[in-house]
Amino acid sequence: MDSGETRLFKGYRIQHNNVMGPYKGGMRYHEQVSLDELKALATQMTWKCALLGVPFGGGKGGIKFNPHDHSHDELRRITRRFTHALGSNIGPAHDIPAPDMGTNSQTMVWMMDTYINTGPTYEKNDQRAVVTGKTINSGGSEGREMATGQGVVHCIKEWAREARFDLEGATAIIQGFGNVGSNAALLLSKLGVSTIATGDHSGYLRNDEGFNAHKLQDYVRVNGSIDGYPRGEKISRAEFFETKADLFVPAALENQVGEEEAMKLDVRLIAEGANGPINPRGAAVLADRGIPVIPDILANSGGVTVSYYEWVQNRNSEHWDAEEVQRRLLHMMRRAYQRTMFYAAEKKVDPRIAAYALALDSLATSYKERGIFP
Ligand code: NAD
């Protein structure tokens, strides 16, 4: 620590499945990180990559601590020490971490630098692909920072087109104003959708006129949370869930919408930016109430998709321009959305079941084709 004191942290890396390609998944820094949570999140990464047709498997990792309690230097030391401890358990053809809650492009650059500096000198530049979500300067992809929010918004646009719903003038509530939540708010505002309530670990705010997503994002970058932002009225968590709006984007933690919250929500559509934000009881209430949900493994898959593009660019020593990344992302998200909704309609199941079924189907086919060795 900056004080000279030594502290021990608990970190994890879960490797769930690699039949479709190297393990892939985020690194989470949060005080609630646990082995079971990461096992569940790693499993979802397997289904997500299989659904999108991204040639990766599923992994996830994290360190159990609150990053807001630490200085830049302490975060760097914690990240480097953990990466070194992971050693050869990660690697560009084996297991590829990425940002998740509490981590960002800076965290990824530290991980990359630590990893490549412990390998042979002649391999250094081949090893950049050990993590994705890096800064553009250090080998990241154009569009990765916004990719998850962008993917959420692509799904919302597809839904609006099919439902003949005009997004211009619509309203949204967004839980979590970090990478996913703030970029979703920004991109929605470009379509004419106002974010009228939001919240994070520090509390919740409402602004009936709609927040200026750029200004709030800048404020959070400087201050670490929405706390103290002057252009909004403080509301409780319960009031946030009661706010009438057209769209709800959960973009914070898992298990945020249980029975109680699902009863309160007064929205037309939920697009899951976060992983697992709705628990099974909440999902049952929403189904009864007829509120459609675009499931996490589809809605937030823009992040892993552009991570895959970053990995391809690193391995081929290429740098694609932003338009190229956007074009490819839109194509893959649309295809996954259409396949999921077509399957859901055909089999009369909800989109979450459809997404899981399509993912499992492709994994099962792969296992069948490969058979048992020897
Ligand atoms: P982030 O750290 O940038 O933002 C997380 C947000 O959640 C912050 O605003 C934080 O204050 C808020 N939060 C934390 N604890 C909270 C609590 N108890 N109540 C309310 N808000 C709380 O993280 P992120 O990358 O935006 O990730 C958000 C979610 O999206 C996670 O579920 C993550 O797994 C998922 N996700 C992220 C990506 C990605 O590319 N970053 C990709 C796919 C899915």
Side-chain angles (χ1 to χ4, degrees):
M1 298 294 101
D2 294 343
S3 63
E5 171 207 0
T6 301
R7 274 186 56 192
L8 190 63
F9 293 83
K10 196 160 197 166
Y12 307 88
R13 183 75 190 166
I14 304 294
Q15 297 173 334
H16 174 253
N17 188 287
N18 66 349
V19 75
M20 307 299 256
Y23 302 107
K24 184 86 188 91
M27 278 293 306
R28 180 172 285 198
Y29 289 178
H30 195 275
E31 66 268 32
Q32 278 172 27
V33 157
S34 71
L35 192 59
D36 280 341
E37 177 195 54
L38 295 174
K39 282 182 183 172
L41 292 168
T43 310
Q44 281 189 315
M45 287 306 296
T46 303
W47 313 148
K48 195 181 296 182
C49 294
L51 175 68
L52 265 286
V54 167
F56 285 141
K60 202 85 179 189
I63 308 181
K64 188 178 176 61
F65 79 116
N66 183 351
H68 301 289
D69 291 347
H70 294 272
S71 68
H72 186 82
D73 280 354
E74 287 182 351
L75 290 174
R76 178 170 45 78
R77 288 195 291 270
I78 293 165
T79 302
R80 284 196 187 278
R81 189 65 194 83
F82 182 63
T83 308
H84 190 58
L86 286 173
S88 60
N89 290 294
I90 57 171
H94 177 51
D95 184 354
I96 308 146
D100 191 75
M101 193 149 40
T103 59
N104 54 29
S105 54
Q106 173 65 79
T107 324
M108 293 305 115
V109 174
W110 287 329
M111 286 191 80
M112 176 198 75
D113 188 71
T114 309
Y115 182 84
I116 67 178
N117 274 302
T118 48
T121 310
Y122 61 88
E123 277 186 355
K124 273 188 184 166
N125 279 313
D126 277 347
Q127 307 290 321
R128 284 177 177 228
V130 64
V131 288
T132 58
K134 301 178 289 286
T135 61
I136 291 179
N137 209 41
S138 294
S141 176
E142 301 288 344
R144 175 60 184 91
E145 192 82 20
M146 295 193 89
T148 309
Q150 179 74 72
V152 170
V153 173
H154 282 326
C155 288
I156 291 173
K157 274 168 80 176
E158 288 298 299
W159 167 83
R161 199 166 49 78
E162 282 176 4
R164 295 177 206 273
F165 177 77
D166 189 2
L167 288 170
E168 176 75 47
T171 52
I173 59 172
I174 300 187
Q175 188 198 30
F177 212 78
N179 175 292
V180 181
S182 69
N183 285 313
L186 208 67
L187 293 162
L188 282 171
S189 74
K190 291 187 181 165
L191 301 175
V193 181
S194 329
T195 298
I196 55 167
T198 188
D200 66 7
H201 66 279
S202 70
Y204 292 83
L205 289 177
R206 182 165 63 207
N207 179 338
D208 293 338
E209 305 287 298
F211 289 98
N212 179 320
H214 271 292
K215 284 193 177 146
L216 187 52
Q217 198 179 46
D218 286 346
Y219 182 89
V220 172
R221 278 200 187 118
V222 174
N223 298 283
S225 75
I226 62 169
D227 188 34
Y229 185 67
R231 292 177 201 86
E233 169 205 350
K234 268 194 169 188
I235 52 172
S236 66
R237 185 178 184 279
E239 286 169 318
F240 169 81
F241 280 100
E242 279 163 7
T243 307
K244 184 178 167 60
D246 297 305
L247 313 170
F248 171 41
V249 180
L253 290 173
E254 55 273 10
N255 290 327
Q256 291 301 299
V257 180
E259 244 169 328
E260 203 184 316
E261 291 82 6
M263 288 300 294
K264 287 192 177 118
L265 280 167
D266 190 359
V267 296
R268 289 170 198 265
L269 174 75
I270 303 175
E272 293 184 329
N275 286 305
I278 303 174
N279 76 21
R281 287 179 163 200
V285 172
L286 293 170
D288 276 353
R289 296 185 57 212
I291 300 178
V293 177
I294 306 176
D296 45 11
I297 64 167
L298 172 63
N300 71 33
S301 60
V304 75
T305 303
V306 178
S307 273
Y308 165 55
Y309 301 156
E310 178 173 334
W311 182 79
V312 171
Q313 291 171 74
N314 287 166
R315 300 208 104 195
N316 294 336
S317 299
E318 289 180 14
H319 186 84
W320 303 349
D321 60 28
E323 290 72 29
E324 177 69 11
V325 173
Q326 288 305 334
R327 185 186 63 74
R328 288 178 187 248
L329 176 64
L330 177 62
H331 171 74
M332 278 185 78
M333 296 290 312
R334 267 202 184 140
R335 189 184 59 182
Y337 185 94
Q338 297 303 339
R339 277 181 76 218
T340 306
M341 297 308 164
F342 183 78
Y343 189 99
E346 193 187 45
K347 307 278 185 197
K348 299 190 172 49
V349 292
D350 74 37
R352 191 185 309 280
I353 298 293
Y356 284 154
L358 285 165
L360 281 167
D361 218 31
S362 91
L363 285 154
T365 305
S366 183
Y367 273 109
K368 272 191 207 137
E369 285 169 359
R370 288 166 67 151
I372 297 169
F373 174 83

